[in-house]
Amino acid sequence: MTDTAAPRRRDAAATRLLLLDAARRRFAADGYSATTVRDIAEDAGVNVALIHRYFTSKEGLFEACLTGVGDELGRTAGEDLTLDRIAHDIAARLVGPHTAKHPNQILLLLRSSGDERAERIRQDILGTFAVRLAAAAGWRADLPDADQRLLSAQVTLATAFGLAVLRSSTTLEPLASAGHDDLVAPLARLVNALLKP
Amino acid sequence: MTDTAAPRRRDAAATRLLLLDAARRRFAADGYSATTVRDIAEDAGVNVALIHRYFTSKEGLFEACLTGVGDELGRTAGEDLTLDRIAHDIAARLVGPHTAKHPNQILLLLRSSGDERAERIRQDILGTFAVRLAAAAGWRADLPDADQRLLSAQVTLATAFGLAVLRSSTTLEPLASAGHDDLVAPLARLVNALLKP
DNA sequence: TGGCTAAGTCAGCAATCGTTTACATATCGC
DNA sequence: GCGATATGTAAACGATTGCTGACTTAGCCA
């Protein structure tokens, strides 16, 4: 019985990703301060000291996680967002296939480390996301009711985040075990009421 | 110059409330694990050891905070909740007058300590609150579409929580500085779309 | 193949955490 | 007024935290 696991091949980029991946899960699920660097390192199967080698600090790692989801959202939820697909997209991001690999990464955008730079990154992502949502609903900055429309988009965004939080931290039924289609129904009505021009 | 502050009169119940009050603020604002018992004690102007005397542990104090907001919600958001007052009530709870004394106490219901008993308390409060919301919209357990209606009520609840989180942890404009009336407008449309029978 | 550098390991630092214990003193019934 | 007891204080405990430095070893190129 060779129970001694074969030591992984040395690869800086690969272990960096391992750490980033484990960190994203932990931070999203447990929050910043409840997560220890030793937890992350153990999840990644990597020595603790490497966290500081590749990310200089726990804060640095958290920052990297934030920019990670930022880039991912930038790619996934692209420019071609149409009004009648918003409800579907939100539902997909709550129960979709990526949820299996990266459960509830949206939550990461609500986790706070207290660090100023991380906070700025978070603000930027949320801001551009809200604008993108509003734009899909015909919003433009020079319209007379621009503020009210943007506010409505942010309320819609709030619903998405609230659903993510409730589903991840409670067993509130029927919400907790609602599937994609179950969520699309009320979300479509919500989007229609809030964002329809 | 008598700069030595007059030592408060010894009063167990009073200092218990001082601790509870400070704890509710801290836990709601910073979360469970980011809050230290020394922070709470200092805010309350009270010795750290008294936390363990009156609440046996940090977890115990957190539990007491939860049941506190539970009772308060039970009293404030009474039985007489009508459909067309929901939007107003939610908005009031986000920017209302109690917000001055107890800013964002709703957030406490989303903070997790990991403790099992605290988790149960949280679940109970959220569950009954969702049912109460649904009931105001004509929901009854024996209706054929009971689940869908309850789900819609929980989505509405999710919006309220999402708004609380976003407003407390970001400076997302115009949401962050939106007043009561600004919020009622979209919330009324939302409630109308989701809960109207 | 030998050696140099990058990649990973190990042990332990100082600080802070929740908690406990031993002690001081205000408060109140008698 | 006196003593019993509830209330508050002070100091420290062990455990855990993020982090660091000195060390070992694998990987690659000349």
Side-chain angles (χ1 to χ4, degrees):
Chain A
M1 323 182 286
T2 64
D3 57 348
T4 58
R8 282 181 305 97
R9 180 171 173 74
R10 291 192 174 183
D11 184 340
T15 58
R16 223 192 86 103
L17 283 183
L18 249 60
L19 281 173
L20 209 59
D21 212 61
R24 283 174 57 168
R25 285 186 226 271
R26 282 280 186 176
F27 284 143
D30 304 334
Y32 179 80
S33 53
T35 302
T36 72
V37 290
R38 287 178 171 83
D39 285 337
I40 298 173
E42 190 175 3
D43 285 1
V46 152
N47 193 285
V48 202
L50 295 182
I51 287 183
H52 301 91
R53 185 194 290 283
Y54 293 134
F55 302 96
T56 62
S57 70
K58 186 188 178 186
E59 298 261 17
L61 176 53
F62 183 69
E63 244 179 68
C65 290
L66 273 186
T67 58
V69 295
D71 293 350
E72 201 162 296
L73 280 182
R75 264 187 294 104
T76 314
E79 314 292 333
D80 54 344
L81 190 61
T82 67
L83 183 61
D84 47 303
R85 268 187 31 202
I86 290 179
H88 170 83
D89 277 22
I90 292 178
R93 209 163 287 277
L94 290 173
V95 301
H98 13 82
T99 311
K101 188 187 167 200
H102 277 321
N104 275 309
Q105 288 302 301
I106 313 123
L107 284 181
L108 212 46
L109 296 176
L110 295 183
R111 306 301 190 185
S112 174
S113 74
D115 182 56
E116 201 169 319
R117 306 205 314 149
E119 218 67 7
R120 274 259 299 280
I121 298 175
R122 211 158 55 94
Q123 301 284 341
D124 285 353
I125 298 176
L126 288 174
T128 62
F129 207 76
V131 164
R132 193 173 293 178
L133 201 61
W139 171 90
R140 275 185 311 147
D142 56 345
L143 288 182
D145 57 348
D147 257 26
Q148 300 170 34
R149 281 168 177 267
L150 191 51
L151 181 62
S152 289
Q154 292 174 349
V155 172
T156 307
L157 207 58
T159 307
F161 282 115
L163 285 173
V165 175
L166 278 184
R167 278 175 57 101
S168 80
S169 74
T170 72
T171 59
L172 201 64
E173 295 298 349
L175 176 59
S177 30
H180 177 98
D181 295 343
D182 299 319
L183 288 176
V184 165
L187 281 177
R189 271 185 291 160
L190 185 147
V191 168
N192 201 63
L194 283 183
L195 300 182
K196 194 80 132 206
Chain B
M1 319 184 289
T2 64
D3 57 347
T4 58
R8 281 182 305 99
R9 180 172 172 75
R10 291 192 174 183
D11 184 341
T15 59
R16 221 192 87 103
L17 283 184
L18 249 64
L19 282 173
L20 209 59
D21 211 61
R24 282 174 58 168
R25 285 186 226 270
R26 281 281 186 176
F27 283 143
D30 304 334
Y32 179 80
S33 53
T35 301
T36 73
V37 290
R38 286 178 171 83
D39 285 337
I40 298 173
E42 191 175 1
D43 285 1
V46 150
N47 193 285
V48 203
L50 295 183
I51 288 183
H52 301 89
R53 184 194 291 283
Y54 292 132
F55 302 96
T56 63
S57 71
K58 185 188 178 186
E59 298 261 19
L61 176 54
F62 183 68
E63 245 178 66
C65 290
L66 274 187
T67 59
V69 295
D71 293 350
E72 201 161 297
L73 279 182
R75 264 187 295 104
T76 315
E79 313 292 333
D80 54 344
L81 191 61
T82 66
L83 183 60
D84 48 302
R85 269 187 30 201
I86 290 179
H88 170 83
D89 277 21
I90 293 178
R93 209 163 287 279
L94 289 173
V95 302
H98 13 81
T99 310
K101 188 187 166 199
H102 276 322
N104 274 310
Q105 288 302 301
I106 313 124
L107 284 181
L108 212 46
L109 295 176
L110 295 182
R111 305 302 190 184
S112 174
S113 74
D115 181 56
E116 202 169 320
R117 307 205 311 148
E119 217 65 8
R120 274 258 298 281
I121 298 175
R122 211 158 57 95
Q123 301 285 340
D124 286 352
I125 298 176
L126 288 173
T128 62
F129 207 76
V131 165
R132 192 173 293 177
L133 200 62
W139 171 90
R140 275 186 310 150
D142 55 345
L143 287 182
D145 57 348
D147 257 27
Q148 299 170 36
R149 282 168 176 266
L150 191 52
L151 182 62
S152 289
Q154 292 173 350
V155 172
T156 307
L157 207 58
T159 307
F161 282 114
L163 286 173
V165 176
L166 278 184
R167 277 175 59 100
S168 80
S169 73
T170 72
T171 59
L172 202 63
E173 294 297 348
L175 175 59
S177 30
H180 178 98
D181 296 343
D182 300 319
L183 288 177
V184 165
L187 282 177
R189 272 185 290 159
L190 185 149
V191 168
N192 201 62
L194 284 183
L195 300 182
K196 194 79 134 208

Coordinates of all heavy atoms in Angstrom, one line a residue, chain B residues 129-165:
Chain B
F129 N -41.3 35.1 9.6 CA -41.4 36.4 8.9 C -41.8 36.2 7.5 O -42.7 37.0 7.0 CB -40.0 37.1 9.0 CG -40.2 38.6 8.9 CD1 -40.6 39.3 10.0 CD2 -39.9 39.3 7.8 CE1 -40.7 40.7 10.0 CE2 -40.1 40.7 7.7 CZ -40.5 41.4 8.8
A130 N -41.3 35.3 6.8 CA -41.7 35.0 5.4 C -43.1 34.6 5.4 O -43.9 35.1 4.5 CB -40.8 33.9 4.8
V131 N -43.6 33.7 6.3 CA -45.0 33.3 6.3 C -45.9 34.5 6.5 O -46.9 34.6 5.9 CB -45.2 32.2 7.4 CG1 -46.6 32.1 7.7 CG2 -44.5 30.9 6.9
R132 N -45.5 35.4 7.5 CA -46.3 36.5 7.8 C -46.4 37.4 6.5 O -47.5 38.0 6.3 CB -45.6 37.3 8.9 CG -46.5 38.3 9.5 CD -45.9 38.9 10.7 NE -45.8 38.0 11.8 CZ -45.2 38.3 13.0 NH1 -44.7 39.5 13.2 NH2 -45.1 37.4 13.9
L133 N -45.3 37.6 5.8 CA -45.3 38.4 4.6 C -46.3 37.8 3.6 O -47.1 38.4 2.9 CB -43.9 38.5 4.0 CG -43.6 39.6 3.1 CD1 -43.8 40.9 3.8 CD2 -42.2 39.5 2.6
A134 N -46.2 36.4 3.4 CA -47.0 35.8 2.4 C -48.5 35.8 2.8 O -49.4 36.0 2.0 CB -46.6 34.3 2.3
A135 N -48.7 35.7 4.1 CA -50.1 35.7 4.6 C -50.8 37.1 4.3 O -52.0 37.1 4.0 CB -50.1 35.4 6.1
A136 N -50.0 38.1 4.4 CA -50.5 39.5 4.1 C -50.9 39.6 2.7 O -51.8 40.4 2.3 CB -49.5 40.5 4.4
A137 N -50.4 38.7 1.9 CA -50.7 38.7 0.4 C -51.8 37.6 0.1 O -51.9 37.2 -1.0 CB -49.5 38.5 -0.4
G138 N -52.4 37.1 1.1 CA -53.5 36.2 0.9 C -53.1 34.8 0.9 O -53.9 33.9 0.6
W139 N -51.9 34.5 1.2 CA -51.4 33.1 1.2 C -52.0 32.3 2.3 O -52.3 32.8 3.4 CB -49.9 33.1 1.4 CG -49.3 31.8 1.6 CD1 -48.8 30.9 0.6 CD2 -49.0 31.1 2.9 NE1 -48.3 29.8 1.2 CE2 -48.4 29.9 2.6 CE3 -49.3 31.5 4.2 CZ2 -48.0 29.0 3.6 CZ3 -48.9 30.6 5.2 CH2 -48.3 29.3 4.9
R140 N -52.3 31.1 2.0 CA -52.7 30.1 3.0 C -52.2 28.7 2.6 O -52.0 28.4 1.4 CB -54.3 30.0 3.1 CG -54.9 31.0 4.1 CD -56.3 30.8 4.2 NE -57.0 30.6 2.9 CZ -58.0 29.8 2.7 NH1 -58.6 29.2 3.7 NH2 -58.6 29.7 1.5
A141 N -51.8 27.9 3.6 CA -51.1 26.7 3.4 C -51.8 25.7 2.5 O -51.2 24.9 1.9 CB -50.7 26.1 4.7
D142 N -53.2 25.8 2.5 CA -53.9 24.8 1.8 C -54.3 25.2 0.4 O -55.0 24.5 -0.3 CB -55.2 24.5 2.6 CG -56.0 25.7 2.9 OD1 -55.5 26.8 2.7 OD2 -57.2 25.6 3.2
L143 N -53.8 26.4 0.0 CA -54.1 26.8 -1.4 C -53.3 26.0 -2.4 O -52.3 25.4 -2.1 CB -53.8 28.3 -1.6 CG -54.7 29.3 -0.9 CD1 -54.3 30.7 -1.2 CD2 -56.2 29.0 -1.4
P144 N -53.8 25.8 -3.6 CA -53.2 24.9 -4.6 C -51.8 25.5 -4.9 O -50.8 24.7 -5.1 CB -54.1 25.0 -5.8 CG -55.0 26.1 -5.6 CD -55.1 26.3 -4.1
D145 N -51.6 26.8 -5.0 CA -50.3 27.4 -5.4 C -49.6 28.0 -4.2 O -48.9 29.0 -4.3 CB -50.5 28.5 -6.5 CG -51.5 29.6 -6.0 OD1 -52.1 29.4 -4.9 OD2 -51.5 30.6 -6.6
A146 N -49.7 27.3 -3.1 CA -49.2 27.8 -1.8 C -47.7 28.0 -1.9 O -47.1 29.0 -1.5 CB -49.5 26.8 -0.7
D147 N -47.0 27.0 -2.5 CA -45.5 27.0 -2.6 C -45.0 28.2 -3.4 O -44.1 28.9 -3.0 CB -45.0 25.7 -3.2 CG -44.4 24.8 -2.1 OD1 -44.9 24.9 -1.0 OD2 -43.5 24.0 -2.4
Q148 N -45.7 28.4 -4.6 CA -45.2 29.5 -5.4 C -45.5 30.9 -4.8 O -44.6 31.8 -4.9 CB -46.0 29.5 -6.8 CG -45.8 28.2 -7.6 CD -46.7 28.1 -8.7 OE1 -47.1 29.1 -9.4 NE2 -47.2 26.9 -9.0
R149 N -46.6 31.0 -4.0 CA -46.8 32.2 -3.3 C -45.8 32.4 -2.2 O -45.3 33.6 -2.0 CB -48.2 32.2 -2.8 CG -49.3 32.5 -3.8 CD -50.7 32.2 -3.2 NE -51.8 32.5 -4.1 CZ -52.4 33.7 -4.1 NH1 -52.0 34.6 -3.2 NH2 -53.4 33.9 -5.0
L150 N -45.5 31.4 -1.5 CA -44.6 31.5 -0.4 C -43.2 31.9 -1.0 O -42.4 32.7 -0.4 CB -44.5 30.2 0.4 CG -43.7 30.3 1.7 CD1 -44.2 31.4 2.6 CD2 -43.8 28.9 2.5
L151 N -42.9 31.2 -2.1 CA -41.6 31.5 -2.7 C -41.5 33.0 -3.1 O -40.5 33.7 -2.9 CB -41.4 30.7 -4.0 CG -40.1 30.8 -4.7 CD1 -38.9 30.5 -3.8 CD2 -40.0 30.0 -6.0
S152 N -42.6 33.5 -3.7 CA -42.6 34.9 -4.0 C -42.4 35.8 -2.8 O -41.7 36.9 -2.9 CB -43.9 35.3 -4.7 OG -44.0 34.7 -6.0
A153 N -43.0 35.5 -1.7 CA -42.8 36.2 -0.5 C -41.3 36.2 0.0 O -40.8 37.2 0.4 CB -43.7 35.7 0.6
Q154 N -40.7 35.0 -0.2 CA -39.3 34.9 0.2 C -38.4 35.7 -0.7 O -37.4 36.2 -0.3 CB -38.9 33.4 0.3 CG -39.6 32.7 1.4 CD -39.4 31.2 1.4 OE1 -38.9 30.7 0.4 NE2 -39.8 30.5 2.5
V155 N -38.8 35.8 -2.0 CA -38.0 36.6 -2.9 C -38.1 38.1 -2.5 O -37.2 38.8 -2.5 CB -38.5 36.4 -4.4 CG1 -37.8 37.4 -5.3 CG2 -38.2 35.0 -4.8
T156 N -39.3 38.5 -2.1 CA -39.5 39.8 -1.6 C -38.6 40.1 -0.4 O -38.0 41.1 -0.3 CB -41.0 40.1 -1.2 OG1 -41.8 39.7 -2.3 CG2 -41.2 41.5 -0.8
L157 N -38.6 39.1 0.5 CA -37.8 39.2 1.7 C -36.3 39.3 1.3 O -35.5 40.1 1.9 CB -38.0 38.0 2.6 CG -37.7 38.1 4.0 CD1 -38.6 39.2 4.6 CD2 -38.0 36.8 4.8
A158 N -35.9 38.5 0.3 CA -34.6 38.6 -0.2 C -34.2 40.0 -0.7 O -33.1 40.4 -0.4 CB -34.4 37.6 -1.3
T159 N -35.1 40.6 -1.3 CA -34.9 42.0 -1.8 C -34.6 42.9 -0.6 O -33.6 43.7 -0.6 CB -36.1 42.5 -2.6 OG1 -36.4 41.6 -3.6 CG2 -35.7 43.9 -3.1
A160 N -35.4 42.8 0.4 CA -35.2 43.6 1.6 C -33.8 43.4 2.2 O -33.1 44.3 2.5 CB -36.3 43.3 2.7
F161 N -33.4 42.1 2.3 CA -32.1 41.8 2.9 C -31.0 42.3 2.0 O -30.0 42.8 2.4 CB -32.0 40.3 3.2 CG -32.7 39.9 4.4 CD1 -33.8 39.0 4.3 CD2 -32.2 40.3 5.6 CE1 -34.4 38.6 5.5 CE2 -32.9 39.9 6.8 CZ -34.0 39.1 6.7
G162 N -31.2 42.1 0.7 CA -30.2 42.5 -0.3 C -30.0 44.0 -0.2 O -28.8 44.5 -0.3
L163 N -31.1 44.7 -0.1 CA -30.9 46.2 0.0 C -30.2 46.6 1.3 O -29.3 47.4 1.3 CB -32.3 46.8 0.0 CG -33.0 46.8 -1.3 CD1 -34.5 47.3 -1.2 CD2 -32.3 47.8 -2.3
A164 N -30.5 45.9 2.4 CA -29.8 46.2 3.7 C -28.3 45.9 3.5 O -27.5 46.8 4.0 CB -30.4 45.3 4.8
V165 N -28.0 44.8 2.9 CA -26.6 44.5 2.8 C -25.9 45.5 1.9 O -24.8 46.0 2.2 CB -26.4 43.1 2.2 CG1 -24.9 42.8 2.0 CG2 -27.0 42.0 3.2

